[in-house]
Amino acid sequence: MTVSSGSPGWYLRRLSRMGPREVGGRAGDAVRRRRWRSAPPNCPSVPGARFTAVLPAGTIAAVPPDAAKRLIAEADRLMDGHAEYFGVVRDDLADPDWSYDPKTGRRAPGGYAFDVPYRSEDAVGDIKQIWEPSRHQYLTVLAAAYAITGNERYAERVAEHLRSWWAANPPLRGVHWISGIELGIRLLSWVWIRRLLDGWPGAAELFEDNPVALNQIWHHQRWLAAFPSRGSSANNHVIAEAAGQFAGACAFGWFPSSARWRAGALRSLERHLRSNTFDSGLNRELATEYHGLVLELGLAAVAEADAADVPVPASVRLMLLRMTDALAAVVDNRLRPPRQGDADDGHGLIVDGAGTDRWASLLATGDAVFGRLDWWPTVTGTDVRTPLLAALIRPYAKDGTAPAVTRPASRPGHFADAGMTILRGPAEIWARCDGGPHGFLSIAAHGHADALSVEVRHDGVDVLADPGTYCYHGQPEWRQYFRSTLGHNTLRLDGSDQSVSGGPFLWTRHARSRVLAADTSGASDGGTARWCAEHDGYRRSVHRRRVELTAASRELRVVDEVRGRHSPRRAAQLAFHLGPAITADLVGNRAVLTWTRDGEDRSAELDLPGQLSWRAHRGESDPPLGWYSAGFGRKEPTTTLVGTGFADGTDRFTTVLRFRG
């Protein structure tokens, strides 16, 4: 069932997932919004404001030449007006219309911000296409290009665009004053823009000596203090809000309320970093890209604290350390992390050009700040962001408030609290097994109905792939498909998802999974690694899955069972989604898979359960089936193998993936 957000039924379902405290907080927000409509305040006067949170001398000289070259190439494309957001190529960034969506051709209406129906694509356009340029992360790239080259044309373009944005988007007017995550990330961008432009003669005139800029900065922080994400929405959004406000209150600490805002944002950041992170270090949303976003935001916040000499709780650094170790543990041999849950290409801080590896950059920063462990994968790429952050953040071992911690002596493969297990075999075979919670908080906003799914790669190539996310708003049938059970490598019964959706960011019933066994060590020493888990998402039946990775035969075996004392005979669909690089030749219940990696032909055999009738699907749209989304807003046809039949308490479906050579 497709459910649109913003409908009366959606609001009722959303309300049912809130607790009394959250309901009360949201009621207070509604009252405050009405009051703000009629009584907009003025920014207090702040004479003598000065920006002191500058980069230490020699920082820019530490940027690797190849990373600088990529950055400057990106900056020059932006200067020519060229950019791409979520698969839509734009050539209007030299003089942007801040309310225009090039995807639909619509312009968002103006007026009081909280009256704008931003969830309606018919009324507003694709909201992410409108919001993304106004995070001003392309301006941090231009500012970084100025810092590296000293060429003032980059700085002048930044100033021109900031003045344009400030004029077009006065406080509380229009679409850019609706969502706290947008305000938080934008405020963080402004901090870095001011820092990177520090050598430019016009920097002070643009920021601290500019009443318009001061008014914008003050109103952003006032907004963030007034409308934090609450309760069931306190996921990555609240981290972005707190990190942005903390950064602004540290670097732009010129206002009478700055100390209060700084303290409140730091309390929120510390609290929500803990609540959003498992003890193992994985993000509780179980959506890998949000792990990266939260880690970037946390590192940026600590950089501001250290630059301003503001003490932060030891738990903040400890959480970021654990998150970094967890990231190092789960990536494959090409430094690609799992593709799990939602992904919308969101970043906390961008100062790099195209071709820079996000995950390598995070691990490089982790090495500089925390120190790499012996089992960490080697990072060979370079980036601009690492030397900038490392110049501001005190190394963990040298921070007097940081507690001594015990870090993993060897590479973890099983994360019990998150239900994630990574099996590794010879020739760079990597497999992720999902036995964790459905998602985070009562709405599990960024979770997918993917319990017991597997994701398998060979030398970084998706063989059995997680198809991704593709979209959030405006295309409900596609949103539903990419987060559905059929959209993942797992078993569907009676044509139903394991968990019940109440809207594009709302689940009203969550499948409960538990891992029964996990031995990740076997395949690494020539034996067999094993995993077993089950979930209760299908009423009166339990789906149990076993996965074994045997090193000697280079074989992955998946066994599915439908268990239950009174389990009825049920229609079954077992899906395996192949990566976009894979060609499949399906005959009966055997598929020969072929692909090319670095000019070398590779292959595997996939023996599928004979009790089911198998068919290959590719690029179908009515309904959607056979698609892969490499990034938000982008999709491409790929092959999905679906077996149909029946299952009861006696059936056992065995699938064997055997790599050749």
Side-chain angles (χ1 to χ4, degrees):
M1 178 178 67
T2 299
V3 182
S4 62
S5 60
S7 65
W10 177 85
Y11 280 112
L12 288 174
R13 285 185 289 273
R14 185 67 182 84
L15 183 64
S16 73
R17 310 306 292 176
M18 301 180 194
R21 185 173 181 180
E22 181 179 356
V23 172
R26 289 179 181 269
D29 290 346
V31 171
R32 191 173 297 110
R33 287 168 182 155
R34 287 197 297 271
R35 188 171 69 245
W36 282 21
R37 178 200 298 271
S38 59
N42 295 316
C43 169
S45 175
V46 286
R50 289 294 175 263
F51 184 83
T52 59
V54 298
L55 289 169
T59 299
I60 297 301
V63 173
D66 57 335
K69 183 178 180 180
R70 289 194 303 272
L71 166 68
I72 294 165
E74 182 73 12
D76 287 342
R77 283 192 291 271
L78 291 168
M79 291 292 290
D80 291 336
H82 303 306
E84 180 180 333
Y85 294 113
F86 312 130
V88 176
V89 176
R90 300 185 62 161
D91 59 8
D92 61 342
L93 260 289
D95 183 19
D97 180 339
W98 302 107
S99 297
Y100 176 68
D101 165 28
K103 178 179 170 184
T104 64
R106 297 187 178 96
R107 294 188 77 257
Y112 186 55
F114 298 114
D115 291 340
V116 178
Y118 70 97
R119 291 189 178 96
S120 171
E121 188 167 295
D122 290 337
V124 173
D126 185 328
I127 191 60
K128 285 187 68 64
Q129 289 288 343
I130 297 171
W131 276 345
E132 192 68 17
S134 287
R135 289 185 172 187
H136 290 170
Q137 293 176 320
Y138 79 96
L139 295 182
T140 58
V141 170
L142 293 177
Y146 165 76
I148 288 172
T149 66
N151 189 327
E152 294 192 2
R153 70 189 185 101
Y154 299 119
E156 289 164 356
R157 177 63 60 83
V158 171
E160 175 189 341
H161 281 204
L162 284 178
R163 290 192 171 102
S164 166
W165 194 94
W166 291 332
N169 297 280
L172 302 179
R173 310 301 294 178
V175 74
H176 296 299
W177 289 88
I178 297 171
S179 173
I181 188 173
E182 304 305 316
L183 276 78
I185 291 177
R186 185 159 56 241
L187 192 56
L188 179 61
S189 294
W190 292 352
V191 169
W192 274 91
I193 289 167
R194 176 61 185 87
R195 174 175 290 130
L196 292 165
L197 293 185
D198 190 61
W200 180 51
E205 181 183 356
L206 178 63
F207 279 93
E208 56 264 33
D209 294 338
N210 181 359
V212 175
L214 293 173
N215 190 49
Q216 286 276 348
I217 293 167
W218 184 81
H219 273 282
H220 271 68
Q221 297 204 66
R222 177 176 178 265
W223 194 110
L224 290 167
F227 300 114
S229 294
R230 301 179 184 276
S232 56
S233 294
N235 53 12
N236 65 87
H237 282 232
V238 77
I239 303 291
E241 293 159 9
Q245 175 146 44
F246 181 71
C250 286
F252 302 143
W254 308 318
F255 307 102
S257 297
S258 290
R260 175 170 57 84
W261 288 336
R262 184 167 56 243
L266 184 56
R267 285 194 301 271
S268 177
L269 183 67
E270 192 273 337
R271 173 190 171 195
H272 290 293
L273 268 178
R274 280 191 288 108
S275 65
N276 275 254
T277 309
F278 287 112
D279 288 344
S280 65
L282 290 178
N283 184 266
R284 285 185 182 270
E285 292 197 77
L286 294 174
T288 309
E289 282 212 4
Y290 288 112
H291 181 108
L293 174 64
V294 169
L295 181 54
E296 288 170 349
L297 291 166
L299 290 167
V302 171
E304 297 308 324
D306 289 352
D309 201 25
V310 174
V312 299
S315 59
V316 171
R317 296 181 198 270
L318 180 59
M319 282 295 105
L320 299 176
L321 167 62
R322 287 177 174 166
M323 291 182 72
T324 308
D325 279 342
L327 176 62
V330 299
V331 295
D332 64 21
N333 68 304
R334 300 278 180 148
L335 302 186
R336 294 184 62 217
R339 285 167 53 89
Q340 182 180 22
D342 273 350
D344 72 348
D345 298 355
H347 291 71
L349 174 66
I350 301 178
V351 287
D352 275 286
T356 302
D357 188 311
R358 174 188 197 173
W359 309 103
S361 170
L362 276 169
L363 291 177
T365 303
D367 184 4
V369 173
F370 304 119
R372 72 185 308 277
L373 297 173
D374 290 342
W375 53 262
W376 273 29
T378 300
V379 175
T380 57
T382 63
D383 69 306
V384 174
R385 188 176 61 190
T386 288
L388 301 187
L389 287 174
L392 298 177
I393 301 175
R394 288 193 296 269
Y396 189 82
K398 297 180 181 179
D399 181 72
T401 66
V405 296
T406 301
R407 298 170 68 184
S410 58
R411 191 174 203 171
H414 177 56
F415 299 83
D417 49 9
M420 182 188 292
T421 304
I422 306 293
L423 307 181
R424 298 177 188 272
E428 296 80 37
I429 299 171
W430 176 100
R432 173 181 64 86
C433 304
D434 179 7
H438 173 61
F440 181 47
L441 301 173
S442 61
I443 63 173
H446 291 297
H448 289 187
D450 57 356
L452 309 196
S453 64
V454 295
E455 182 185 5
V456 182
R457 299 177 191 156
H458 184 278
D459 196 12
V461 174
D462 292 310
V463 179
L464 302 182
D466 184 299
T469 299
Y470 179 53
C471 66
Y472 282 168
H473 299 283
Q475 298 173 281
E477 71 281 6
W478 290 100
R479 173 65 170 153
Q480 179 65 18
Y481 167 68
F482 275 98
R483 66 206 286 258
S484 70
T485 298
L486 185 61
H488 294 84
N489 298 319
T490 189
L491 181 71
R492 182 167 81 157
L493 297 181
D494 294 338
S496 299
D497 285 341
Q498 312 149 337
S499 296
V500 177
S501 172
F505 297 99
L506 172 63
W507 296 91
T508 57
R509 183 171 63 81
H510 303 181
R512 294 175 299 178
S513 303
R514 61 173 183 151
V515 176
L516 304 175
D519 176 8
T520 63
S521 61
S524 61
D525 59 11
T528 300
R530 295 179 173 86
W531 173 86
C532 180
E534 63 184 20
H535 77 82
D536 66 355
Y538 301 120
R539 299 185 187 279
R540 299 172 59 194
S541 298
V542 170
H543 173 206
R544 179 175 291 183
R545 169 170 276 186
R546 290 188 292 111
V547 177
E548 297 180 349
L549 176 59
T550 302
S553 57
R554 295 159 49 87
E555 176 181 289
L556 186 87
R557 181 177 296 265
V558 180
V559 180
D560 291 292
E561 300 176 74
V562 178
R563 303 165 66 91
R565 182 174 298 179
H566 303 292
S567 181
R569 190 167 186 259
R570 313 184 71 158
Q573 289 176 296
L574 182 59
F576 290 105
H577 300 260
L578 307 182
I582 307 299
T583 299
D585 182 12
L586 175 67
V587 178
N589 67 317
R590 168 171 285 194
V592 176
L593 314 181
T594 55
W595 66 98
T596 302
R597 178 58 149 168
D598 297 332
E600 179 182 341
D601 293 336
R602 304 186 183 186
S603 64
E605 295 174 350
L606 185 61
D607 289 331
L608 302 159
Q611 308 100 303
L612 302 176
S613 176
W614 290 90
R615 181 184 168 192
H617 302 262
R618 185 176 181 87
E620 299 171 10
S621 298
D622 190 19
L625 186 59
W627 295 91
Y628 179 94
S629 174
F632 196 84
R634 293 177 285 145
K635 69 180 188 298
E636 59 185 300
T638 192
T639 300
T640 296
L641 305 176
V642 179
T644 58
F646 294 91
D648 57 30
T650 65
D651 285 304
R652 178 176 295 177
F653 302 124
T654 300
T655 304
V656 179
L657 175 63
R658 189 175 299 107
F659 292 94
R660 293 175 173 173

